Amino acid sequence: MINPILKIIYINQKFDEHPIAKNNKIISWINYLIYNIKIRKSQRLVKFKWINNLSIYVENGDSCLGGNVFLVLMEFSESGFLVHYLNSSDLFVDVGANLGHFTLLASGICGSRTIAIEPIPKTYHKLCFNVKKNNINQLVTIKNIGVSNKRGNLNFTDFQNNAINFVQNNVDKKSITVPVQTLNNLLKGKSPNVLKIDVEGFELFVLKGATEILTNPNLKIIIIELNGHCKRYGNTENKIYKFIINFGFKPVNYIPFNRKIELLNHYNLNSDNTIFIREINYVKKRINNGGNIQLNNNIKL
C-alpha cells in the first residue's frame, strides 16, 4: 500500500511541474479529490468533461487518461504541439495508444485520421469506448495488436494500472500473449504525417520495424517516450536517439503558449518524451497556422 504522505508529496510535485496546475493549485487539488471519489464509488467507467467539447471515460487505474481531470492537459508540451500541427488532411499513428489521450486530440480536435494501436485487450476495449463516446469512430481505426521489429507473438504484463504494462522477457502466469507485427507491414500503402510511440521501453524494436515509414518524406514528426525503460531490453536512450536522427529528424523542445520550437542537441532530458521533426521551416509554418486548445474559460493555447 502506498504511503498517503508520499502520495500527497508526489501529486503536489506533479502540480508544481505542470504549467497550468502550478498556478491553480487549489482548483487542481479539488479536482483531484473529486476525481478519486468518483472513480472509487463507481462500478463503471466515469465520464468527465475535458477540453474542446471532448469527454473522457475512466475508472480506477486509468490515471494515464484520468490525470487530465486535475492536470487539464497531460503531457502538456507534446499535446499542444500535436494539436497545433495536425489538420484534417493528416494521418496520425498512435503506437501504444492506451486509453486514447493523443488519439482524442488528433481526431477529436484536429479532425485527423488516426490509426491507434493498443495491445492490451482490457485497455483496447476502453480505448474503443472513449473513441465511440466522442463520436470519432469514422476517423479512428483501432488495432488490438502489438508492434515490434518482426511478426510473431509477444508476452505482455496485464496490470490494473494500464499505464505501466510492457513486453515481458520472463513469462509468468499473469502474462498475456499478443500477436505483433511491424509498422512497415501494418501501414503498407499508408503515409502517416505524425508517429507517436509510447511502448514502455520497447521503442527501438518498433523503430526497426518501421524503416519504410521513417524513410517516407511524408513523415514529418515523431513523438517518442525516452525515459529509461529501454534498459530492461538492453538498450539506451542514446542508441534510440541516434537511430532516429539518422533518418533526418532533429529533436526539439516546444513551448505551447507562444508556439515556439527550440532545437536541441540531444533528446529531451527534461521530459519523458522527445519531439523529433523533419523540415523545420515547414513545421513552423504549420504550427503558426494551427488549431487551438480551449483549456478553460480563460486559457487558450
Side-chain angles (χ1 to χ4, degrees):
M1 184 175 179
I2 299 175
N3 185 310
I5 302 297
L6 294 178
K7 182 70 171 180
I8 291 172
I9 293 172
Y10 172 78
I11 296 300
N12 200 62
Q13 180 181 346
K14 289 298 179 183
F15 290 158
D16 287 336
E17 294 171 351
H18 194 277
I20 301 297
K22 68 181 180 181
N23 297 318
N24 300 274
K25 292 283 283 290
I26 294 176
I27 294 175
S28 297
W29 272 112
I30 290 172
N31 288 335
Y32 176 78
L33 293 172
I34 291 172
Y35 167 78
N36 279 278
I37 290 169
K38 284 187 174 182
I39 62 172
R40 281 165 173 74
K41 286 179 61 178
S42 179
Q43 299 299 313
R44 63 176 71 181
L45 293 172
V46 181
K47 176 182 178 180
F48 294 94
K49 291 183 179 180
W50 193 22
I51 55 176
N52 292 57
N53 297 316
L54 291 172
S55 297
I56 56 178
Y57 297 80
V58 293
E59 61 183 354
N60 195 21
D62 293 341
S63 59
C64 56
L65 183 61
N68 287 301
V69 175
F70 45 88
L71 289 175
V72 184
L73 184 64
M74 298 176 69
E75 301 188 269
F76 188 79
S77 177
E78 303 84 6
S79 298
F81 180 89
L82 190 75
V83 173
H84 293 162
Y85 178 80
L86 283 174
N87 61 44
S88 59
S89 67
D90 292 326
L91 172 62
F92 170 61
V93 176
D94 192 355
V95 181
N98 207 280
L99 299 187
H101 173 95
F102 285 99
T103 291
L104 294 177
L105 294 177
S107 294
I109 296 180
C110 305
S112 302
R113 292 170 295 122
T114 297
I115 297 175
I117 302 167
E118 174 50 49
I120 309 302
K122 289 186 293 188
T123 307
Y124 161 81
H125 289 300
K126 292 181 187 179
L127 168 61
C128 293
F129 190 84
N130 273 281
V131 167
K132 180 180 179 180
K133 287 294 186 178
N134 282 283
N135 299 310
I136 54 174
N137 309 58
Q138 72 280 5
L139 292 173
V140 182
T141 301
I142 308 175
K143 302 286 189 180
N144 184 204
I145 60 172
V147 179
S148 186
N149 60 327
K150 59 184 178 180
R151 190 171 185 172
N153 293 289
L154 288 173
N155 296 297
F156 287 78
T157 61
D158 190 17
F159 299 124
Q160 181 184 11
N161 182 351
N162 45 47
I164 60 173
N165 284 310
F166 59 90
V167 174
Q168 282 186 292
N169 288 320
N170 299 315
V171 181
D172 59 40
K173 62 182 180 181
K174 294 183 179 180
S175 301
I176 58 172
T177 301
V178 177
V180 299
Q181 58 179 291
T182 66
L183 283 181
N184 285 339
N185 183 59
L186 180 65
L187 302 178
K188 189 170 291 293
K190 299 180 176 64
S191 297
N193 197 276
V194 179
L195 173 62
K196 183 228 103 182
I197 303 173
D198 182 351
V199 289
E200 299 302 306
F202 209 65
E203 296 82 16
L204 190 57
F205 298 94
V206 173
L207 291 166
K208 286 184 175 181
T211 50
E212 294 175 16
I213 306 303
L214 297 174
T215 304
N216 189 327
N218 289 327
L219 182 67
K220 298 295 193 293
I221 310 295
I222 300 172
I223 302 173
I224 187 167
E225 184 180 66
L226 299 174
N227 63 356
H229 292 321
C230 59
K231 293 180 176 63
R232 62 165 62 109
Y233 307 109
N235 293 318
T236 65
E237 290 89 346
N238 198 51
K239 188 175 181 179
I240 299 168
Y241 163 75
K242 289 181 177 179
F243 188 90
I244 294 172
I245 64 172
N246 282 336
F247 289 90
F249 291 91
K250 297 180 180 179
V252 303
N253 180 50
Y254 185 66
I255 305 172
F257 290 112
N258 59 12
R259 304 196 178 201
K260 183 178 181 180
I261 295 174
E262 300 174 332
L263 282 172
L264 302 174
N265 56 14
H266 209 275
Y267 64 89
N268 197 332
L269 300 174
N270 298 314
S271 173
D272 284 346
N273 301 308
T274 300
I275 302 169
F276 289 87
I277 66 175
R278 189 158 52 190
E279 297 185 28
I280 187 168
N281 289 333
Y282 171 83
V283 172
K284 283 183 175 179
K285 183 178 180 179
R286 284 193 50 167
I287 288 289
N288 290 332
N289 296 317
N292 297 309
I293 304 175
Q294 187 66 52
L295 298 176
N296 57 40
N297 292 332
N298 300 314
I299 302 176
K300 179 185 288 187
L301 289 181

